[in-house]
């Protein structure tokens, strides 16, 4: 294994050579010094290191660089090496920008230029950064390779699962020379994809999510049988509950069926979340929250499908789809919502083969130069359109209403109107889709006149409506007619407590019809569908849990 790397990036050749020379003089016997002359070159170097499974300890970036400044570089670099320590090199005049970067990219330190003598101004800073990184180094990442077909729904499912769980991988087409050689070496044919290979030669053929999760090192089995708090769903509300529960001493486990982040985790850019004036990607926000929950001692389990909830005195029992169960004093339901299926002929058969629900960020680079269609008029659709506009020749937003103003935030509307390759099509719905091995054309309809037209495209991303993930609750928890969990005063019909309520008090604000079971975020009836409110409800639920447990 190669020594961990210290990365320096500066567009000024003299400064770049100087900082690399000083770093190499002090640390060259223990660390590799990687030097780049631009933010993009540095990102390319980081990706190459990641693919090789190597570690990066510290990144030092100059603030004033053309095309991509130091803050922008460090923000992007966090997605590749989230645990590497980040230092911004800045002139005295840019100190304010460096201070702002503390919020934007979790900057660890800023260093004023010039740093002579390095023994007094540079080395103490780097020493502190290396000590902090050594205490919690980045994980050694295996070079995971996925071999599959371009228009294979199972291949897409594997890639999407890995991407949403922030597991790096290389994507190889089965009909490319390298992909074909790997299939042949494994004794397989193109009919056996997707194939997942790790650096030690272990091969998984058409793996399910649970098998894939265990293979890449995600935790799937609880360490205990009983907890103070079980959180179901790892979106913003669930992550908020896990962070606050674990930080306040509750034995906490977070259960997620697919990947942390929920719908928010798929967002390419969240720009109205407090504390991030330049926006933050859903993946970055999710990863920070996940690390925070783990640091406080919460367990996070993936690929755990919860299929039932039962009450037994002061114990709440959650049953898994594999027949096992887990028990706790309290439960937070934070299962969020899923996008509603678009009922139009031909779409179901093409799901994962040109038709996608949600942003499907793994597909964005493949959309280069293509015509992309986005269905939906809420913020998630707008954020996806802005993301895809960086790759596609043109992005078409299809909405049934006359404009975006009823359902989308104004900042997104302004961005869309200012993006020349995005076109909004009002009064337009999808009447059907067709294609052989993948989506090739859509039939669009004007719901007012019934007029139809056909367009050619291989890319349809759907963001319509929201359905709560609560069918598994059956009759154990009261829900409204749309399936959202009723809580607090909404349970008091005509001033009467819900049927079967056993306590001599009314339900707390976020408490469901089963005492000790709380709901937070989008799954709760009448909730505000925003990331900040979901995080707040997750935190509030923990406060109410303390009140509940004090009386038991």
């Amino acid at each position: 294994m190669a020594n961990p790397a210290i990365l320096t990036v500066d567009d000024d050749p003299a400064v770049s050579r100087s900082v690399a020379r000083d770093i190499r003089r002090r640390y060259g016997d223990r660390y590799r010094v990687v030097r780049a002359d631009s933010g993009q070159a540095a990102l390319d170097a980081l990706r190459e290191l990641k693919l090789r499974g190597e570690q990066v300890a510290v990144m030092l970036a100059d603030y004033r660089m053309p095309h991509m400044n130091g803050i922008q570089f460090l923000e992007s670099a966090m997605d590749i090496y989230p645990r590497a320590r980040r230092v911004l090199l800045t002139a005295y005049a840019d100190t304010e920008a460096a201070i702002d970067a503390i919020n934007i990219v979790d900057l660890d330190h800023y260093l004023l230029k010039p740093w002579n003598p390095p023994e007094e101004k540079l080395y103490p800073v780097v020493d502190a950064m290396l000590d902090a990184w050594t205490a919690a180094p980045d994980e050694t990442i295996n070079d995971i390779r996925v071999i599959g077909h371009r228009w294979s729904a199972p291949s897409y499912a594997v890639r999407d699962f890995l991407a949403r769980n922030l597991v790096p991988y290389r994507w190889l087409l089965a009909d490319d020379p390298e992909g074909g050689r790997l299939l042949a070496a494994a004794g397989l044919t193109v009919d056996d994809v997707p194939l997942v290979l790790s650096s030690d030669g272990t091969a998984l053929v058409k793996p399910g999510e649970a098998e894939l999760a265990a293979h890449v090192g995600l935790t799937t089995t609880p360490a205990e049988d009983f907890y103070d708090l079980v959180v179901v769903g790892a979106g913003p509300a669930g992550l908020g509950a896990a962070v606050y529960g674990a930080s306040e001493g509750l034995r906490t486990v977070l259960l997620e069926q697919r990947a942390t982040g929920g719908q928010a985790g798929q967002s390419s850019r969240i720009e109205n979340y407090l504390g991030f004036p330049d926006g933050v990607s859903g993946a970055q926000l999710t990863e920070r929250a996940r690390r925070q929950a783990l640091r406080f001692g919460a367990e996070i389990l993936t690929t755990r499908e919860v299929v039932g909830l039962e009450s037994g005195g002061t114990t709440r029992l959650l049953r898994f789809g594999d027949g096992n169960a887990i028990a706790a004093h309290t439960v937070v339901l934070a299962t969020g919502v899923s996008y509603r299926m678009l009922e139009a002929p031909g779409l179901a058969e093409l799901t994962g083969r040109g038709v996608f629900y949600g942003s499907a960020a793994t597909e964005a680079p493949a959309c280069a130069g293509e015509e992309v269609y986005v269905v939906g008029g809420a913020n998630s659709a707008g954020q996806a359109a802005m993301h895809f506009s960086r790759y596609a020749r043109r992005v078409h937003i299809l909405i049934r209403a006359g404009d975006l103003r009823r359902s989308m935030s104004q900042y997104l509307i302004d961005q869309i109107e200012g993006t020349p390759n995005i076109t909004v099509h009002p009064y337009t719905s999808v009447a059907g889709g067709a294609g052989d091995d993948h989506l090739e054309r859509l039939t669009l309809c004007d719901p007012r006149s019934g007029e139809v037209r056909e367009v050619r495209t291989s890319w349809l991303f759907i963001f319509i409506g929201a359905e709560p993930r609560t069918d598994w609750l059956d009759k154990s928890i009261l829900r409204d007619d749309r399936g959202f969990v009723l809580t607090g005063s909404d349970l008091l019909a005509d001033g009467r407590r819900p049927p079967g309520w056993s306590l001599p008090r009314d339900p707390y604000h976020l408490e469901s019809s089963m005492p000790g079971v709380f709901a937070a975020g989008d799954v709760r009836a009448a909730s505000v569908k925003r990331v900040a409110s979901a995080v707040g409800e997750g935190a509030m639920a923990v406060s109410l849990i303390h009140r509940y447990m004090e009386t038991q």
Side-chain angles (χ1 to χ4, degrees), residues 2-157:
N3 287 335
I6 297 175
L7 175 74
T8 71
V9 51
D10 197 304
D11 66 306
D12 185 325
V15 176
S16 179
R17 288 192 299 270
S18 177
V19 67
R21 181 195 64 232
D22 288 343
I23 293 292
R24 191 175 290 112
R25 180 188 304 157
R26 173 93 166 205
Y27 308 102
D29 60 329
R30 292 164 289 153
Y31 295 88
R32 295 176 56 205
V33 179
V34 178
R35 184 162 63 95
D37 59 5
S38 71
Q40 188 57 58
L43 288 177
D44 292 341
L46 288 177
R47 293 188 182 102
E48 184 176 347
L49 292 169
K50 194 74 168 181
L51 288 175
R52 296 205 301 258
E54 298 185 26
Q55 297 176 314
V56 174
V58 177
M59 298 180 287
L60 300 97
D62 183 59
Y63 173 63
R64 286 184 177 268
M65 294 188 293
H67 308 302
M68 180 188 298
N69 66 34
I71 295 175
Q72 293 168 330
F73 160 71
L74 290 173
E75 184 180 16
S76 297
M78 285 181 65
D79 288 340
I80 306 172
Y81 281 98
R83 293 185 180 86
R85 299 294 153 168
R86 294 168 289 278
V87 179
L88 190 70
L89 303 176
T90 181
Y92 182 82
D94 297 322
T95 303
E96 184 175 346
I99 294 173
D100 289 342
I102 293 173
N103 287 329
I104 298 172
V105 296
D106 280 352
L107 189 69
D108 294 301
H109 205 282
Y110 68 89
L111 185 64
L112 293 176
K113 299 187 295 184
W115 54 82
N116 290 326
E119 290 77 8
E120 294 180 13
K121 298 182 178 180
L122 175 64
Y123 296 151
V125 172
V126 178
D127 285 343
M129 296 299 99
L130 291 174
D131 287 343
W133 179 82
T134 302
D138 204 346
E139 300 170 345
T140 300
I141 302 297
N142 288 333
D143 183 6
I144 295 172
R145 289 158 290 177
V146 179
I147 300 95
H149 289 304
R150 177 68 196 85
W151 298 111
S152 160
S155 297
Y156 163 72

Side-chain angles (χ1 to χ4, degrees), residues 324-344:
N324 292 316
I326 192 170
H329 288 302
T330 61
V331 175
V332 171
L333 303 175
T335 49
V337 296
S338 57
Y339 293 113
R340 196 167 62 242
M341 301 293 289
L342 180 54
E343 301 294 339

Side-chain angles (χ1 to χ4, degrees), residues 154-477:
S155 297
Y156 163 72
V158 166
R159 294 165 57 213
D160 185 59
F161 179 82
L162 292 174
R164 292 188 61 187
N165 282 285
L166 303 179
V167 178
Y169 68 91
R170 291 176 57 202
W171 165 239
L172 302 169
L173 292 173
D175 52 4
D176 279 353
E178 185 178 0
R181 285 193 294 269
L182 290 171
L183 284 174
L188 303 173
T189 70
V190 293
D191 296 326
D192 297 315
V193 298
L195 169 66
V196 178
L197 292 174
S198 61
S199 58
D200 64 1
T202 303
L204 301 181
V205 181
K206 300 180 180 178
E209 289 185 348
E211 182 184 13
L212 189 58
H215 179 70
V216 300
L218 300 175
T219 304
T220 60
T221 304
E224 302 181 37
D225 295 323
F226 194 90
Y227 293 84
D228 295 317
L229 169 62
V230 173
V231 183
V232 186
L239 287 165
V243 166
Y244 280 88
S247 69
E248 294 176 13
L250 299 178
R251 291 171 298 167
T252 302
V253 62
L254 176 60
L255 311 177
E256 172 55 46
Q257 188 172 351
R258 292 215 65 216
T260 53
Q263 286 188 3
Q266 294 180 278
S267 175
S268 58
R269 202 72 179 168
I270 301 170
E271 297 195 52
N272 57 355
Y273 189 70
L274 185 67
F276 294 88
D278 292 333
V280 61
S281 74
Q284 289 174 350
L285 191 61
T286 295
E287 174 61 9
R288 294 181 192 188
R290 186 191 70 84
R291 288 161 46 203
Q292 197 172 16
L294 291 172
R295 184 167 66 86
F296 284 125
E299 292 180 42
I300 300 179
L301 309 184
T302 56
T303 67
R304 297 316 305 244
E305 180 187 13
V306 182
V307 298
L309 171 63
E310 302 172 12
S311 174
T314 60
T315 297
R316 304 293 172 259
L317 187 70
L318 291 152
R319 297 199 178 277
F320 296 130
D322 61 5
N324 292 316
I326 192 170
H329 288 302
T330 61
V331 175
V332 171
L333 303 175
T335 49
V337 296
S338 57
Y339 293 113
R340 196 167 62 242
M341 301 293 289
L342 180 54
E343 301 294 339
L347 297 187
E349 298 85 349
L350 296 170
T351 299
R353 297 187 291 133
V355 176
F356 305 95
Y357 288 86
S359 64
T362 55
E363 302 303 302
C367 297
E370 301 277 349
E371 300 283 327
V372 170
Y373 285 77
V374 174
V375 180
N379 280 6
S380 53
Q383 290 162 351
M386 290 299 301
H387 180 61
F388 288 121
S389 71
R390 297 163 49 193
Y391 302 89
R393 178 167 63 238
R394 180 157 296 277
V395 177
H396 304 266
I397 302 178
L398 311 179
I399 56 173
R400 297 179 64 90
D403 58 45
L404 296 169
R405 302 188 187 282
R406 294 196 317 178
S407 54
M408 190 177 291
S409 295
Q410 188 61 45
Y411 81 90
L412 269 174
I413 295 174
D414 294 339
Q415 289 180 3
I416 288 169
E417 291 176 346
T419 304
N421 66 332
I422 297 181
T423 301
V424 179
H425 300 267
Y427 305 114
T428 304
S429 60
V430 176
D436 292 329
D437 65 336
H438 68 282
L439 177 68
E440 295 175 337
R441 55 193 177 276
L442 289 174
T443 301
L444 306 182
C445 174
D446 184 333
R448 301 169 301 171
S449 64
E451 179 184 353
V452 298
R453 60 189 175 96
E454 189 173 271
V455 296
R456 298 196 65 81
T457 184
S458 297
W459 306 98
L460 177 67
F461 299 90
I462 301 168
F463 303 82
I464 57 170
E467 296 180 339
R469 300 171 181 170
T470 57
D471 289 345
W472 62 277
L473 290 171
D474 196 24
K475 297 180 180 179
S476 61
I477 299 290

Side-chain angles (χ1 to χ4, degrees), residues 311 313 316 497-505 513 515:
S311 174
R316 304 293 172 259
R497 292 167 183 160
W501 185 261
S502 58
L503 300 180
R505 60 165 176 81
S513 59

